[in-house]
Structures are given as structure tokens and as C-alpha cells.
Amino acid sequence: GENVEQHPSTLSVQEGDSAVIKCTYSDSASNYFPWYKQELGKRPQLIIDIRSNVGEKKDQRIAVTLNKTAKHFSLHITETQPEDSAVYFCAVSIGSNYKLTFGKGTLLTVNP
Amino acid sequence: DTAVSQTPKYLVTQMGNDKSIKCEQNLGHDTMYWYKQDSKKFLKIMFSYNNKELIINETVPNRFSPKSPDKAHLNLHINSLELGDSAVYFCASSGSAEQFFGPGTRLTVL
């Protein structure tokens, strides 16, 4: 089955700095790549996603890049704020049933 | 007007008991899911239903049985609870790619 590796497992940055989280996947047929944010004690929520026919997508301070050849994708957060502190999960799915395989998560801490 | 709701929010029970968790979505989505999030925060899919039909059934002990009475509801029944079943269980639904998660049910087996 699909295998998703996510790095780093923890990331600490100063407010205003950028943060980058990377994921690699194993199945070249994967075609949908969402990122979820989970605050402490809360539910995961989609923050951005990208499909395999697109190389990059931006939404204000967050962006996702996809390299299909290398089978990796990354989340970029610029001008980080304390409220960005959370666990971030990458995920991958194949086909139309949207079965998501998640990475193990990155705990991002933004220090004021 | 919560989009995806789950009950109960917390569930504390003894080993060997049988318990159920209920999930409802009012988004009109066709597909619903159950995920398990363990103590290390790892999120893993357990089951998925599309229009009341089981479409994803991961390697889950057969003590876990999902039931979908209609496409707005997906319940999870767990027999003979074990210590290792302690986790947060999330229900989710989707109409296309984006999955919307419920608030989670924290199950503690003593």
C-alpha cells in the first residue's frame, strides 16, 4: 500500500520566520495531496490541497509545491504567527475513493 | 449547525465491554469515514462508506463493526473492548476530495 513519510516531526520557529514541512510518497499513481492542521484537542481541518496536474498552489501565507518525479510535496508557511502552532499532517490519495494515507504529523511551534 | 457531529465526546469503559459511537453529517455528502488517532497522533483510516455501501475496510479487528443506516449517519460499534482500543476516533465525510472531520470521540479503556 501507499507509504507516506513526513519530516520533520517537530519544528520550532520564531514568529515571522518561514516554516517548511516535507512529505514523500511511494505510489506514483497518487493524485491528490491535502494538508491538514490539527490544533490541540481539536479536529483536523484542511488548509490547502493540490492535485497531481498542478505544481504549486498558494493561499495567502501558505503554499504547497509538488514534485511528481521525485514523489515529494511540501508545505510552506511564511510570516508565521503564534496561532500557526499546531500539528500539521500531509496526506495522499489515489483515484476517486479518496482514501487518505496520512503522514505521521509535524508539531509546529511558533515562538512569539 | 455543526457539519459533522459525533456522540459521545468522551467514553470511559472497562475492558471487555461493548460500546458504540455515533456520527451524523448534515452536509449532504455521499461518503463517510472512520479514523483512529492513537496516542502518538497517528491518523489511520478504518472504514469508509459511500451511499451506505462499504468501500474501504482496512485491516481492523472484526470486533469493530461499522453501520450506515443512511448516507447521513455512520456508526461504529466495538465489541470486547481492549486496552489498545484507547484512542481518539474521528468520523469524517466528503462530497468530493475534501474531508470534513467531526470533533472526535476520546475512548479510554480501563
Side-chain angles (χ1 to χ4, degrees), chain B residues 21 26 30 36 45 49-52 55 60 63 67 71-74 76 85 87 95-96 98-102 104 110:
Chain B
I21 307 171
N26 63 5
D30 287 339
K36 178 181 181 181
I45 184 132
Y49 273 74
N50 181 273
N51 269 322
K52 302 194 297 174
I55 57 169
V60 176
R63 298 182 295 103
K67 281 191 172 52
K71 74 173 194 177
H73 296 85
L74 179 61
L76 183 66
D85 298 332
S96 58
E98 180 177 359
Q99 293 187 19
F100 293 81
F101 283 77
L110 303 175

Side-chain angles (χ1 to χ4, degrees), chain A residues 32 36 38 42-44 46 51 89 97-100 102 104, chain B residues 4 35 37 41-43 56 58 90 96-99 101-102:
Chain A
Y32 176 64
Y36 282 81
Q38 186 178 27
K42 300 286 179 68
R43 72 191 79 191
L46 181 75
R51 294 186 184 275
F89 293 95
N97 70 6
Y98 299 118
K99 172 190 165 185
L100 291 180
F102 282 85
K104 293 192 174 180
Chain B
V4 183
Y35 288 89
Q37 186 169 48
K41 302 292 186 189
F42 186 44
L43 263 171
I56 296 173
E58 291 295 285
F90 285 100
S96 58
E98 180 177 359
Q99 293 187 19
F101 283 77

Side-chain angles (χ1 to χ4, degrees), chain A residues 43 45, chain B residues 1-6 23-29 31-32 71-73 91-94 98-103:
Chain A
R43 72 191 79 191
Q45 292 192 289
Chain B
D1 59 342
T2 305
V4 183
S5 59
Q6 293 178 230
C23 178
E24 177 180 2
Q25 54 96 3
N26 63 5
L27 297 166
H29 290 163
T31 308
M32 296 184 72
K71 74 173 194 177
H73 296 85
C91 174
S93 74
S94 69
E98 180 177 359
Q99 293 187 19
F100 293 81
F101 283 77

Side-chain angles (χ1 to χ4, degrees), chain A residues 20-101:
Chain A
V20 180
I21 303 170
K22 298 181 179 180
C23 286
T24 60
Y25 58 98
S26 58
D27 195 326
S28 56
S30 298
N31 59 1
Y32 176 64
F33 309 89
W35 286 89
Y36 282 81
K37 175 183 179 182
Q38 186 178 27
E39 296 176 2
L40 188 62
K42 300 286 179 68
R43 72 191 79 191
Q45 292 192 289
L46 181 75
I47 54 170
I48 196 165
D49 57 9
I50 195 168
R51 294 186 184 275
S52 57
N53 59 348
V54 176
E56 183 175 359
K57 185 175 177 181
K58 273 187 177 179
D59 183 2
Q60 299 183 334
R61 296 186 298 107
I62 60 173
V64 56
T65 57
L66 171 65
N67 183 327
K68 281 168 45 181
T69 304
K71 289 188 281 188
H72 69 70
F73 59 112
S74 300
L75 177 72
H76 305 254
I77 306 174
T78 58
E79 300 170 33
T80 53
Q81 301 165 4
E83 49 267 38
D84 294 329
S85 295
V87 178
Y88 290 81
F89 293 95
C90 65
V92 173
S93 78
I94 302 170
S96 59
N97 70 6
Y98 299 118
K99 172 190 165 185
L100 291 180
T101 301

Side-chain angles (χ1 to χ4, degrees), chain A residues 6-20:
Chain A
Q6 182 171 345
H7 298 280
S9 56
T10 61
L11 179 59
S12 182
V13 299
Q14 289 299 121
E15 184 176 358
D17 287 351
S18 294
V20 180

